[in-house]
Amino acid sequence: MLATNLALPLLPVSWQSTRQILVLGIALDFLAIFVLLLLSGGASNGFIALLLLPVAVTTVLLPAWIGYIFAFTAISFYGVLLWLGDLTALVQSDMALGHHTLHQEVLQPFTQHMWHMWCAFSISAILLSWFLSHQTSLIRQKSQQLNTLQQNQLRQEKALAIATYAANAAHDLASPIQNLLLLTDEVASELRHPALADMLQQLKRCQQIIDELRKSAGDWRSLDAAELYPVLQQSLQSWAVTRPELQVELTQSSDQSHCRIMEATAVASAVFQILENAAAASILNQQPRLKLSLQLKQQQLRLQITDFGEGLSEQRLAELGHYPLQSEHGLGWGQFLANISIERLGGQVQRRNLPQGGMETLITFKDQE
């Protein structure tokens, strides 16, 4: 009572939640129960099963190996109490008249019965530790999986909201862009100003982007799985051509195995966003180059993107791709949407800072057929 109810609240708050304090408190309870049993009948006390209470509490609150230690400690305590009880009974029988007959007819069967109870107690303690530790591990695992699913659901809801806003914006922009295109074409035919020609070209590009968005929205759900390696191979080469200011080092290797996924073209779009951010980081650090490695081995595809920027702080690195982060050059949605797209299609994205500077992004996919 003193240890658990009076002493613990007086400790600093940082100490109260530590595993060592919890183990110490349960160990003191264990010792107190043992002493009380020793002073009140020992192994013959009907409350001997109280030794299982610290075992159960330890197994639920602490790692399994600590629970097993307390279980074997309870078995040892029971054995000590039983041995002390046998020793006391033997001394008393030696002092009594006809001790041999008394020991053979009464004490020996009772002693066997007590040792059988110790065996049953030992089996109960071990099974209790195993079962509770196993169930506790399953509960923690399921809780972690549920937490992960809830976080993924929130991210998917955010992505769905962004997609809805983007679709509405594309729909609302279609008519104004078409009107501006007609007006600019008419003004350009009369004024012949060079800037109007550039403006007309940019408006046509906007119209083309909206048309491509409509087309992609119409056939984004492909019924057949496609090989991801050739899609990414062609996409990376095409992207490198569009960025002549960058020195792109691309290495490729394939063992001719298969890595088929649904909506392989959607992966290329997500990869483009990651590449653009990596290129911007390298250019901002005055090292305009990227290292790309595309590897297909044993039905697992690995795309490694290494930039030469300044890297990120540990906090921003942990949040990158998991939350929309405000950036100096945009709204910070690019990496967030890229992560969601890749994970939705069965892939994984891992990022880490490099010791020499820069950041490495690793994208992995496994064959889904």
Side-chain angles (χ1 to χ4, degrees):
M1 287 290 293
L2 290 175
T4 56
N5 297 326
L6 297 179
L8 279 179
L10 299 178
L11 294 175
V13 178
S14 59
W15 289 13
Q16 295 180 20
S17 60
T18 60
R19 181 181 299 175
Q20 291 80 0
I21 294 298
L22 184 59
V23 172
L24 178 61
I26 297 177
L28 290 175
D29 290 340
F30 221 152
L31 185 61
I33 294 175
F34 172 73
V35 172
L36 289 175
L37 291 172
L38 181 63
L39 298 176
S40 58
S44 61
N45 193 316
F47 290 95
I48 190 70
L50 288 176
L51 286 173
L52 291 175
L53 289 180
V55 176
V57 174
T58 305
T59 307
V60 172
L61 298 180
L62 297 171
W65 65 272
I66 299 181
Y68 285 119
I69 291 177
F70 274 85
F72 286 108
T73 303
I75 295 172
S76 302
F77 281 173
Y78 197 138
V80 171
L81 291 174
L82 189 56
W83 179 77
L84 291 176
D86 285 348
L87 184 61
T88 303
L90 184 60
V91 172
Q92 292 176 352
S93 66
D94 287 339
M95 297 174 60
L97 182 61
H99 63 275
H100 182 72
T101 304
L102 179 65
H103 184 269
Q104 292 291 334
E105 295 180 358
V106 179
L107 294 181
Q108 187 173 4
F110 181 75
T111 301
Q112 291 179 353
H113 171 73
M114 295 301 295
W115 281 105
H116 291 165
M117 289 184 60
W118 176 82
C119 292
F121 179 89
S122 302
I123 296 174
S124 301
I126 295 174
L127 288 178
L128 180 68
S129 300
W130 172 80
F131 179 77
L132 288 181
S133 63
H134 183 68
Q135 293 300 316
T136 303
S137 176
L138 287 178
I139 292 174
R140 291 171 181 168
Q141 182 180 359
K142 295 297 182 182
S143 177
Q144 184 177 4
Q145 292 177 353
L146 181 61
N147 186 31
T148 302
L149 290 175
Q150 290 176 344
Q151 292 179 357
N152 290 337
Q153 182 180 2
L154 291 175
R155 295 172 61 193
Q156 295 292 343
E157 290 176 354
K158 290 181 180 178
L160 180 60
I162 297 171
T164 303
Y165 295 149
N168 293 334
H171 180 269
D172 295 339
L173 286 173
S175 297
I177 289 178
Q178 181 65 28
N179 294 335
L180 285 173
L181 187 62
L182 294 176
L183 292 174
T184 305
D185 191 14
E186 182 178 350
V187 174
S189 62
E190 295 181 0
L191 296 180
R192 305 292 182 181
H193 195 279
L196 291 175
D198 295 337
M199 186 182 300
L200 184 62
Q201 182 181 1
Q202 296 299 322
L203 288 172
K204 288 182 179 180
R205 175 58 182 158
C206 292
Q207 189 179 38
Q208 181 183 359
I209 292 174
I210 293 178
D211 292 339
E212 291 176 355
L213 180 62
R214 288 174 175 174
K215 182 178 181 300
S216 298
D219 57 3
W220 71 283
R221 287 192 178 274
S222 175
L223 298 179
D224 299 326
E227 290 285 351
L228 182 59
Y229 182 82
V231 172
L232 284 182
Q233 186 181 34
Q234 182 179 2
S235 300
L236 292 176
Q237 293 173 353
S238 301
W239 181 85
V241 173
T242 62
R243 301 300 298 265
E245 74 277 13
L246 285 173
Q247 179 184 351
V248 181
E249 179 183 344
L250 175 60
T251 58
Q252 308 172 63
S253 62
S254 173
D255 60 356
Q256 304 303 319
S257 60
H258 297 286
C259 184
R260 294 173 289 251
I261 69 167
M262 306 296 289
E263 308 169 39
T265 54
V267 177
S269 300
V271 169
F272 282 169
Q273 183 61 55
I274 297 177
L275 288 172
E276 290 292 338
N277 282 52
S282 298
I283 294 175
L284 189 62
N285 200 33
Q286 298 182 357
Q287 297 190 52
R289 59 194 182 101
L290 290 179
K291 289 180 63 176
L292 308 178
S293 175
L294 182 62
Q295 181 184 30
L296 177 60
K297 184 178 181 180
Q298 297 180 354
Q299 296 185 329
Q300 184 176 18
L301 185 138
R302 293 166 53 93
L303 173 60
Q304 183 175 317
I305 303 172
T306 305
D307 65 57
F308 295 86
E310 297 181 352
L312 297 174
S313 64
E314 293 299 327
Q315 181 180 358
R316 288 186 64 86
L317 183 63
E319 296 176 348
L320 185 62
H322 299 283
Y323 306 97
L325 300 179
Q326 190 74 22
S327 63
E328 297 179 359
H329 307 285
L331 299 178
W333 291 97
Q335 296 280 1
F336 175 69
L337 293 176
N339 259 45
I340 289 181
S341 299
I342 292 173
E343 292 174 358
R344 180 179 62 85
L345 298 174
Q348 292 182 348
V349 183
Q350 297 175 336
R351 299 177 176 88
R352 68 183 183 95
N353 287 321
L354 299 176
Q356 66 273 18
M359 187 174 67
E360 178 185 275
T361 303
L362 180 62
I363 302 172
T364 56
F365 278 93
K366 291 183 179 181
D367 186 42
Q368 297 179 0
E369 288 193 349

PDB file of all heavy atoms in Angstrom, residues 288-301:
ATOM      1  N   PRO A 288      22.209  21.383 -60.257  1.00  0.00           N
ATOM      2  CA  PRO A 288      21.109  20.902 -61.108  1.00  0.00           C
ATOM      3  C   PRO A 288      21.357  19.508 -61.675  1.00  0.00           C
ATOM      4  O   PRO A 288      21.630  19.331 -62.867  1.00  0.00           O
ATOM      5  CB  PRO A 288      21.063  21.955 -62.213  1.00  0.00           C
ATOM      6  CG  PRO A 288      22.457  22.453 -62.314  1.00  0.00           C
ATOM      7  CD  PRO A 288      23.015  22.423 -60.930  1.00  0.00           C
ATOM      8  N   ARG A 289      21.222  18.515 -60.857  1.00  0.00           N
ATOM      9  CA  ARG A 289      21.375  17.143 -61.324  1.00  0.00           C
ATOM     10  C   ARG A 289      20.580  16.189 -60.429  1.00  0.00           C
ATOM     11  O   ARG A 289      20.314  16.483 -59.256  1.00  0.00           O
ATOM     12  CB  ARG A 289      22.835  16.718 -61.356  1.00  0.00           C
ATOM     13  CG  ARG A 289      23.577  16.779 -60.034  1.00  0.00           C
ATOM     14  CD  ARG A 289      25.079  16.668 -60.237  1.00  0.00           C
ATOM     15  NE  ARG A 289      25.820  16.669 -58.975  1.00  0.00           N
ATOM     16  CZ  ARG A 289      26.312  15.573 -58.396  1.00  0.00           C
ATOM     17  NH1 ARG A 289      26.156  14.397 -58.991  1.00  0.00           N
ATOM     18  NH2 ARG A 289      26.974  15.651 -57.257  1.00  0.00           N
ATOM     19  N   LEU A 290      20.199  15.056 -61.017  1.00  0.00           N
ATOM     20  CA  LEU A 290      19.447  14.019 -60.327  1.00  0.00           C
ATOM     21  C   LEU A 290      20.041  12.660 -60.669  1.00  0.00           C
ATOM     22  O   LEU A 290      20.568  12.463 -61.774  1.00  0.00           O
ATOM     23  CB  LEU A 290      17.962  14.034 -60.718  1.00  0.00           C
ATOM     24  CG  LEU A 290      17.079  15.188 -60.261  1.00  0.00           C
ATOM     25  CD1 LEU A 290      15.673  14.996 -60.787  1.00  0.00           C
ATOM     26  CD2 LEU A 290      17.058  15.288 -58.743  1.00  0.00           C
ATOM     27  N   LYS A 291      19.923  11.741 -59.737  1.00  0.00           N
ATOM     28  CA  LYS A 291      20.309  10.361 -59.982  1.00  0.00           C
ATOM     29  C   LYS A 291      19.058   9.495 -59.855  1.00  0.00           C
ATOM     30  O   LYS A 291      18.388   9.501 -58.816  1.00  0.00           O
ATOM     31  CB  LYS A 291      21.376   9.900 -58.984  1.00  0.00           C
ATOM     32  CG  LYS A 291      22.741  10.529 -59.196  1.00  0.00           C
ATOM     33  CD  LYS A 291      23.746  10.030 -58.161  1.00  0.00           C
ATOM     34  CE  LYS A 291      23.965   8.541 -58.300  1.00  0.00           C
ATOM     35  NZ  LYS A 291      25.009   8.052 -57.352  1.00  0.00           N
ATOM     36  N   LEU A 292      18.752   8.757 -60.933  1.00  0.00           N
ATOM     37  CA  LEU A 292      17.574   7.901 -60.956  1.00  0.00           C
ATOM     38  C   LEU A 292      18.024   6.462 -61.176  1.00  0.00           C
ATOM     39  O   LEU A 292      18.878   6.186 -62.030  1.00  0.00           O
ATOM     40  CB  LEU A 292      16.605   8.318 -62.066  1.00  0.00           C
ATOM     41  CG  LEU A 292      16.195   9.800 -62.104  1.00  0.00           C
ATOM     42  CD1 LEU A 292      15.272  10.062 -63.279  1.00  0.00           C
ATOM     43  CD2 LEU A 292      15.526  10.196 -60.799  1.00  0.00           C
ATOM     44  N   SER A 293      17.427   5.556 -60.420  1.00  0.00           N
ATOM     45  CA  SER A 293      17.738   4.138 -60.557  1.00  0.00           C
ATOM     46  C   SER A 293      16.431   3.361 -60.614  1.00  0.00           C
ATOM     47  O   SER A 293      15.640   3.385 -59.663  1.00  0.00           O
ATOM     48  CB  SER A 293      18.595   3.658 -59.377  1.00  0.00           C
ATOM     49  OG  SER A 293      18.804   2.255 -59.448  1.00  0.00           O
ATOM     50  N   LEU A 294      16.208   2.683 -61.744  1.00  0.00           N
ATOM     51  CA  LEU A 294      14.997   1.889 -61.955  1.00  0.00           C
ATOM     52  C   LEU A 294      15.408   0.424 -62.036  1.00  0.00           C
ATOM     53  O   LEU A 294      16.174   0.037 -62.930  1.00  0.00           O
ATOM     54  CB  LEU A 294      14.279   2.324 -63.224  1.00  0.00           C
ATOM     55  CG  LEU A 294      12.965   1.611 -63.552  1.00  0.00           C
ATOM     56  CD1 LEU A 294      11.924   1.863 -62.463  1.00  0.00           C
ATOM     57  CD2 LEU A 294      12.428   2.060 -64.906  1.00  0.00           C
ATOM     58  N   GLN A 295      14.893  -0.390 -61.108  1.00  0.00           N
ATOM     59  CA  GLN A 295      15.317  -1.788 -61.023  1.00  0.00           C
ATOM     60  C   GLN A 295      14.100  -2.684 -60.872  1.00  0.00           C
ATOM     61  O   GLN A 295      13.194  -2.397 -60.091  1.00  0.00           O
ATOM     62  CB  GLN A 295      16.268  -1.981 -59.827  1.00  0.00           C
ATOM     63  CG  GLN A 295      16.788  -3.390 -59.676  1.00  0.00           C
ATOM     64  CD  GLN A 295      17.642  -3.560 -58.428  1.00  0.00           C
ATOM     65  OE1 GLN A 295      17.439  -2.877 -57.425  1.00  0.00           O
ATOM     66  NE2 GLN A 295      18.607  -4.458 -58.473  1.00  0.00           N
ATOM     67  N   LEU A 296      14.090  -3.778 -61.644  1.00  0.00           N
ATOM     68  CA  LEU A 296      13.051  -4.796 -61.545  1.00  0.00           C
ATOM     69  C   LEU A 296      13.729  -6.124 -61.263  1.00  0.00           C
ATOM     70  O   LEU A 296      14.510  -6.619 -62.078  1.00  0.00           O
ATOM     71  CB  LEU A 296      12.244  -4.880 -62.841  1.00  0.00           C
ATOM     72  CG  LEU A 296      11.157  -5.965 -62.891  1.00  0.00           C
ATOM     73  CD1 LEU A 296      10.117  -5.752 -61.800  1.00  0.00           C
ATOM     74  CD2 LEU A 296      10.486  -6.010 -64.256  1.00  0.00           C
ATOM     75  N   LYS A 297      13.444  -6.672 -60.082  1.00  0.00           N
ATOM     76  CA  LYS A 297      14.085  -7.917 -59.671  1.00  0.00           C
ATOM     77  C   LYS A 297      13.103  -8.734 -58.850  1.00  0.00           C
ATOM     78  O   LYS A 297      12.535  -8.243 -57.874  1.00  0.00           O
ATOM     79  CB  LYS A 297      15.343  -7.617 -58.844  1.00  0.00           C
ATOM     80  CG  LYS A 297      16.139  -8.856 -58.461  1.00  0.00           C
ATOM     81  CD  LYS A 297      17.397  -8.468 -57.693  1.00  0.00           C
ATOM     82  CE  LYS A 297      18.226  -9.690 -57.321  1.00  0.00           C
ATOM     83  NZ  LYS A 297      19.449  -9.323 -56.563  1.00  0.00           N
ATOM     84  N   GLN A 298      12.894  -9.987 -59.270  1.00  0.00           N
ATOM     85  CA  GLN A 298      12.023 -10.928 -58.564  1.00  0.00           C
ATOM     86  C   GLN A 298      10.640 -10.338 -58.313  1.00  0.00           C
ATOM     87  O   GLN A 298      10.121 -10.351 -57.200  1.00  0.00           O
ATOM     88  CB  GLN A 298      12.673 -11.377 -57.249  1.00  0.00           C
ATOM     89  CG  GLN A 298      13.972 -12.130 -57.439  1.00  0.00           C
ATOM     90  CD  GLN A 298      14.595 -12.558 -56.125  1.00  0.00           C
ATOM     91  OE1 GLN A 298      14.115 -12.204 -55.048  1.00  0.00           O
ATOM     92  NE2 GLN A 298      15.670 -13.328 -56.191  1.00  0.00           N
ATOM     93  N   GLN A 299      10.066  -9.774 -59.381  1.00  0.00           N
ATOM     94  CA  GLN A 299       8.706  -9.233 -59.364  1.00  0.00           C
ATOM     95  C   GLN A 299       8.543  -8.075 -58.385  1.00  0.00           C
ATOM     96  O   GLN A 299       7.450  -7.796 -57.919  1.00  0.00           O
ATOM     97  CB  GLN A 299       7.685 -10.328 -59.039  1.00  0.00           C
ATOM     98  CG  GLN A 299       7.626 -11.426 -60.081  1.00  0.00           C
ATOM     99  CD  GLN A 299       6.532 -12.434 -59.790  1.00  0.00           C
ATOM    100  OE1 GLN A 299       6.189 -12.698 -58.643  1.00  0.00           O
ATOM    101  NE2 GLN A 299       5.954 -12.985 -60.839  1.00  0.00           N
ATOM    102  N   GLN A 300       9.623  -7.398 -58.102  1.00  0.00           N
ATOM    103  CA  GLN A 300       9.578  -6.201 -57.266  1.00  0.00           C
ATOM    104  C   GLN A 300      10.285  -5.063 -57.986  1.00  0.00           C
ATOM    105  O   GLN A 300      11.435  -5.207 -58.404  1.00  0.00           O
ATOM    106  CB  GLN A 300      10.232  -6.430 -55.903  1.00  0.00           C
ATOM    107  CG  GLN A 300      10.120  -5.226 -54.979  1.00  0.00           C
ATOM    108  CD  GLN A 300      10.694  -5.495 -53.603  1.00  0.00           C
ATOM    109  OE1 GLN A 300      11.453  -6.430 -53.414  1.00  0.00           O
ATOM    110  NE2 GLN A 300      10.344  -4.669 -52.634  1.00  0.00           N
ATOM    111  N   LEU A 301       9.582  -3.965 -58.150  1.00  0.00           N
ATOM    112  CA  LEU A 301      10.135  -2.797 -58.841  1.00  0.00           C
ATOM    113  C   LEU A 301      10.559  -1.762 -57.810  1.00  0.00           C
ATOM    114  O   LEU A 301       9.811  -1.467 -56.870  1.00  0.00           O
ATOM    115  CB  LEU A 301       9.107  -2.209 -59.798  1.00  0.00           C
ATOM    116  CG  LEU A 301       9.593  -1.043 -60.669  1.00  0.00           C
ATOM    117  CD1 LEU A 301       9.079  -1.184 -62.101  1.00  0.00           C
ATOM    118  CD2 LEU A 301       9.147   0.302 -60.096  1.00  0.00           C
TER     119      LEU A 301
END
